[in-house]
Amino acid sequence: MGVSHPDIVIGRGALADEILVPRDGRTRVAILSQDTAMGMARPLGERLAATGLAVEVIALPDGEAAKTLEVAQDVYLALNRMGMTRHDSLVAVGGGSVTDLGGFVAATYLRGIEAVYCPTTLLGAVDAAIGGKTGVNVGGKNLVGVFAHPTRIVIDLEVLAALPAPLMRQGMAEVLKAGLVGDLELVALLERDGLTADLEAVVGRAGDVKVAVVRDDIREAGRRAILNYGHTIGHAVEVSAGLSHGEAVAIGMVAAGAVSKELTGFSASDRQTAIIEKLGLPTSAPALDRDEAKRLVGLDKKRDSTGVRMVLLEAIGHPVVKPVDDATIDLALDAVTAPSEHGQRETANG
Ligand SMILES: NC(=O)c1ccc[n+]([C@@H]2O[C@H](COP(=O)([O-])OP(=O)(O)OC[C@H]3O[C@@H](n4cnc5c(N)ncnc54)[C@H](O)[C@@H]3O)[C@@H](O)[C@H]2O)c1
Ligand SMILES: [Zn+2]
């Protein structure tokens, strides 16, 4: 709760212990979770109950469907029934959807109760759980929320090691992004080991990049923007090509790499593409609707009077944020829709 940064506990079986920050006065714990992660939330609830706490496990609708004001209201009412006070705690066990909703509820209920996050997806562990953004979707993604930190983030490496392949790959896109903007060794690790890279190093290093970037820029005034590497084109691809966020960010990084090569002389764009391939992530979206994608990129502009800005790389670990014109956006889209030398692209006539 509040502005101080959380402890981050990373370990095998970490969900079994060290969940709660030791402190006096806590008598009730609400555990929020959903779907698959309920299998981790329930035993955790039993262990906490065995220590004498009053525990309730609250099941949320799965995935993004948890991030609504209606669900928040249902949880507030459940907390009322539990008789929660400001001394008590909320624990969110799940992916980014659960920690975003859980963090929002904890920050607003009684004007703020303690939140603890137990991210169970790789994306949740290295991205959503860190940085203090919480929120729900109201007529648009993440449009309502508050900045608030949990007191503790508990990342169980056994849980992450067992993730289904698509969730692992999607999280790896954000891990690679973190490396590209801030950690050369992390990039080298992924380049060497791909999806079999040591998870403790992957999670620790990618988390450290985000912690360092947001530490001085919690409200996204400046430097935090570098975490959007691959996201300008990525978001447009996500919406117009219907890909997962991680796949779209992978494609967005290829696009940003190509623009970087042109505008900053970035020399590692082919190396970046090879790592994305090694991670089993897509490097192009041949069937992308270009007009729709351009329209979506332009929508960003309306929220920011300075026009479309893209995060580019001068070198790995050296991001810069630059305003880009229409021709540059075309170049970015060409890089992910034009026929590639790998010959995987569909022809114009299908
Ligand atoms: N707050 C932030 O700074 C921030 C940053 C990035 C993303 N986000 C948010 O995070 C959300 C995406 O998070 P996500 O990718 O974790 O998706 P998610 O939380 O929606 O989970 C995706 C799916 O994985 C399942 N799942 C969770 N843990 C699992 C496990 N251990 N094994 C198998 N399945 C499991 C979930 O039940 C769900 O069906 C989005 O809402 C996004 O806006 C927030
Ligand atoms: Zn992202």
Side-chain angles (χ1 to χ4, degrees):
M1 154 173 61
V3 289
S4 66
H5 284 266
D7 306 336
I8 303 182
V9 179
I10 304 174
R12 301 201 173 274
L15 265 183
D17 40 56
E18 298 189 86
I19 297 296
L20 299 172
V21 177
R23 61 173 177 76
D24 294 332
R26 182 194 290 117
T27 58
R28 299 172 194 80
V29 176
I31 302 178
L32 307 193
S33 193
Q34 61 183 193
D35 203 67
T36 318
M38 285 296 282
M40 300 147 217
R42 289 199 198 285
L44 170 64
E46 283 158 22
R47 282 193 298 279
L48 292 177
T51 69
L53 293 162
V55 179
E56 292 228 12
V57 182
I58 300 169
L60 308 175
D62 193 33
E64 201 69 22
K67 287 177 56 174
T68 69
L69 283 173
E70 290 72 21
V71 172
Q73 159 122 334
D74 288 343
V75 178
Y76 295 139
L77 293 171
L79 301 181
N80 281 350
R81 285 191 297 273
M82 285 178 73
M84 288 285 268
T85 74
R86 242 183 238 156
H87 302 292
D88 298 321
S89 307
L90 181 152
V91 178
V93 181
S97 299
V98 180
T99 53
D100 274 15
L101 183 275
F104 177 73
V105 166
T108 48
Y109 187 71
L110 302 178
R111 300 190 181 80
I113 63 171
E114 178 187 43
V116 174
Y117 294 168
C118 304
T120 62
T121 63
L122 182 55
L123 184 142
V126 301
D127 195 354
I130 301 174
K133 284 190 191 174
T134 75
V136 293
N137 305 324
V138 178
K141 208 163 144 59
N142 300 326
L143 289 184
V144 173
V146 295
F147 285 100
H149 286 291
T151 55
R152 184 166 277 183
I153 300 169
V154 182
I155 301 166
D156 191 330
L157 295 171
E158 276 169 17
V159 170
L160 299 187
L163 279 173
L167 279 179
M168 187 68 104
R169 281 198 299 271
Q170 288 165 34
M172 283 292 188
E174 299 286 0
V175 170
L176 176 60
K177 174 205 76 182
L180 289 167
V181 301
D183 184 346
L184 277 86
E185 279 187 46
L186 177 54
V187 174
L189 177 69
L190 296 180
E191 185 168 40
R192 197 188 64 198
D193 296 340
L195 290 165
T196 62
D198 177 60
L199 264 183
E200 184 162 10
V202 159
V203 171
R205 285 185 165 275
D208 283 351
V209 170
K210 185 156 185 187
V211 167
V213 171
V214 300
R215 177 162 281 142
D216 301 317
D217 187 20
I218 173 88
R219 284 175 191 278
E220 208 155 44
R223 193 169 154 72
R224 189 165 180 157
I226 66 171
L227 295 171
N228 290 330
Y229 181 65
H231 283 60
T232 304
I233 301 298
H235 276 145
V237 170
E238 184 174 352
V239 176
S240 53
L243 294 169
S244 73
H245 182 71
E247 292 169 319
V249 168
I251 292 165
M253 291 191 290
V254 173
V259 172
S260 300
K261 188 173 175 180
E262 195 71 22
L263 298 191
T264 73
F266 178 52
S267 63
S269 129
D270 292 345
R271 187 178 162 207
Q272 173 191 268
T273 301
I275 301 171
I276 292 170
E277 280 172 354
K278 179 155 185 160
L279 292 170
L281 287 160
T283 56
S284 67
L288 186 71
D289 179 339
R290 288 280 296 248
D291 291 340
E292 172 71 352
K294 279 196 85 167
R295 189 184 69 76
L296 290 163
V297 172
L299 283 182
D300 274 2
K301 184 158 53 180
K302 302 216 176 69
R303 298 217 161 225
D304 180 349
S305 53
T306 57
V308 178
R309 300 191 316 151
M310 260 177 96
V311 184
L312 304 178
L313 296 178
E314 288 174 342
I316 292 176
H318 292 274
V320 281
V321 182
K322 290 221 174 195
V324 290
D325 57 16
D326 254 29
T328 306
I329 294 165
D330 272 324
L331 187 155
L333 292 171
D334 282 346
V336 294
T337 55
S340 78
E341 63 271 35
H342 306 293
Q344 286 169 339
R345 185 174 137 70
E346 300 163 11
T347 62
N349 298 323

